[in-house]
Amino acid sequence: MNILVIGHKGMLGSDLMIRFTMAGHDVTGLDIDELDITSREACRDAVRDAGPDAVVNAAAYTNVDGCESDREGCFAVNAQGIGNIALACRDRGIRVVHFSTDYVFDGRKSAPYVEDDPCAPLNVYGESKLEGERLLLETTDNALLIRTSWLYGRRGKNFVRTILEKTAVTDHLDVVDDQVGCPTYSWDLTGAVNLLLEGGHRGIFHVTNRGSVSWYDFARKILEMAGKTGVSVSPVPTERFPRPAVRPRNSVLSGRKFLETTGKTLRFWHLALAEYLSHTACYAADPKVAKH
Ligand SMILES: NC(=O)c1ccc[n+]([C@@H]2O[C@H](COP(=O)([O-])OP(=O)(O)OC[C@H]3O[C@@H](n4cnc5c(N)ncnc54)[C@H](OP(=O)(O)O)[C@@H]3O)[C@@H](O)[C@H]2O)c1
């Protein structure tokens, strides 16, 4: 398959480039320095020039707190941006793969969220991603929309890296224990994306690593697996760390539809974490990997 990955320098996009190449696809990548997805004309021209079988959009405005003070900029990328891509692809009969987030839900459900649960985002980022979902699915029925959560990977800022960096300057951490979700290794997600894409699937899928955990227990596991035995962690309520964007308390996504459709599940989150940590030292040593 000929695949155009937009946002190929980001955390997920960079792993998608590798995964698709390894799977034998012809892959081209564009990022903001070559294509700004907020321009409808630029999207039309880029899709026309690449002439792909599928466009996979990993470009997004991902600064969740930053979105609160830049609603317009955030919607331009996360909503209008994917709308522009969808339009360019619909006109040429091209498949679109796009990503959304657990933050489209309000977190009040006491069980894992399924694909057709009602959405009610608590923050501007979630609102913009939900509007992007709507624009995509209204524009084309040739779309695969994957909601995922709590991503970490080789590139960019993520929770695992932040916790490990903090251990260089402190031996005690306070971490919130009243938000629960599914940590997801970007590399594992790319395998699921390739499977769904090659299988010709359409519609909404929730894809995360298996199992769920609070940020506090996630932090404890990171420290334990990284051998940082001298660092202690205390559980604290969300109110101790007021942030511009409100987060859902429960954002666990159910992987049942993915299992029923593909016969597969992603591995448990702590197994993925162990593999990621075993690679972290070489990621850190490779200057090409540290984009941010
Ligand atoms: N990270 C998470 O925890 C998480 C959780 C759930 C869902 N998701 C979703 O997963 C997808 C991938 O996220 P990620 O964490 O890999 O994102 P990321 O690392 O922030 O990468 C996004 C890429 O898109 C680029 N970009 C930003 N604005 C653009 C524009 N106008 N035109 C073209 N490119 C643009 C960014 O460039 P700059 O870096 O220069 O801005 C960056 O290279 C997104 O749809 C995100 O909403 C992420």
Side-chain angles (χ1 to χ4, degrees):
M1 213 182 294
N2 192 328
I3 302 173
L4 172 61
V5 176
I6 301 178
H8 79 104
K9 294 181 183 170
M11 179 159 55
L12 179 58
S14 57
D15 277 348
L16 284 167
M17 294 294 288
I18 300 169
R19 174 70 75 178
F20 290 145
T21 304
M22 285 170 63
H25 299 298
D26 289 328
V27 194
T28 312
L30 295 173
D31 210 290
I32 187 149
D33 41 354
E34 300 121 334
L35 166 65
D36 183 343
I37 63 169
T38 63
S39 161
R40 180 164 292 183
E41 294 71 30
C43 288
R44 184 197 58 208
D45 294 351
V47 169
R48 183 198 57 213
D49 293 349
D53 303 304
V55 171
V56 179
N57 178 45
Y61 192 133
T62 54
N63 179 348
V64 175
D65 288 319
C67 288
E68 294 297 310
S69 51
D70 185 16
R71 188 181 178 88
E72 203 179 315
C74 163
F75 268 74
V77 180
N78 292 344
Q80 283 93 44
I82 180 58
N84 294 337
I85 292 169
L87 204 57
C89 291
R90 185 194 64 189
D91 292 346
R92 296 178 167 264
I94 296 167
R95 189 111 186 274
V96 188
V97 181
H98 179 60
F99 300 92
S100 189
T101 168
D102 51 333
Y103 286 4
V104 295
F105 297 115
D106 66 12
R108 296 205 176 90
K109 191 178 174 186
S110 55
Y113 280 94
V114 295
E115 285 76 358
D116 52 7
D117 272 330
C119 295
L122 300 176
N123 56 48
V124 173
Y125 170 75
E127 286 177 33
S128 70
K129 294 296 292 186
L130 182 59
E131 178 64 4
E133 291 189 5
R134 193 187 64 77
L135 287 171
L136 170 65
L137 298 176
E138 269 186 17
T139 305
T140 175
D141 53 13
N142 197 2
L144 171 62
L145 173 62
I146 297 172
R147 294 196 189 117
T148 190
S149 64
W150 295 26
L151 273 189
Y152 61 92
R154 288 175 311 128
R155 277 198 177 169
K157 270 185 74 169
N158 63 67
F159 183 77
V160 183
R161 184 165 288 156
T162 300
I163 292 292
L164 293 176
E165 283 171 1
K166 282 186 190 288
T167 64
V169 291
T170 182
D171 58 7
H172 182 79
L173 298 170
D174 289 332
V175 181
V176 297
D177 72 339
D178 52 4
Q179 293 172 31
V180 179
C182 307
T184 303
Y185 184 20
S186 164
W187 178 247
D188 286 10
L189 176 60
T190 65
V193 176
N194 191 54
L195 193 67
L196 289 169
L197 180 61
E198 289 183 348
H201 299 289
R202 292 173 172 76
I204 305 178
F205 285 86
H206 289 176
V207 183
T208 67
N209 276 121
R210 207 166 158 197
S212 57
V213 69
S214 69
W215 289 117
Y216 164 70
D217 285 318
F218 189 26
R220 286 206 319 165
K221 200 64 170 174
I222 293 163
L223 295 172
E224 179 197 313
M225 285 184 168
K228 304 281 184 187
T229 48
V231 181
S232 59
V233 197
S234 297
V236 295
T238 296
E239 292 69 39
R240 269 284 298 280
F241 290 112
R243 298 172 77 176
V246 177
R247 268 78 171 168
R249 295 297 167 101
N250 167 36
S251 66
V252 178
L253 301 179
S254 165
R256 181 184 292 184
K257 181 180 174 189
F258 179 72
L259 171 64
E260 287 172 356
T261 305
T262 64
K264 309 249 187 239
T265 54
L266 270 58
R267 60 186 153 176
F268 277 101
W269 66 266
H270 50 90
L271 300 178
L273 177 64
E275 183 177 300
Y276 174 73
L277 290 172
S278 73
H279 293 165
T280 308
C282 37
Y283 295 159
D286 181 349
K288 292 193 293 297
V289 162
K291 185 186 173 204
H292 294 277

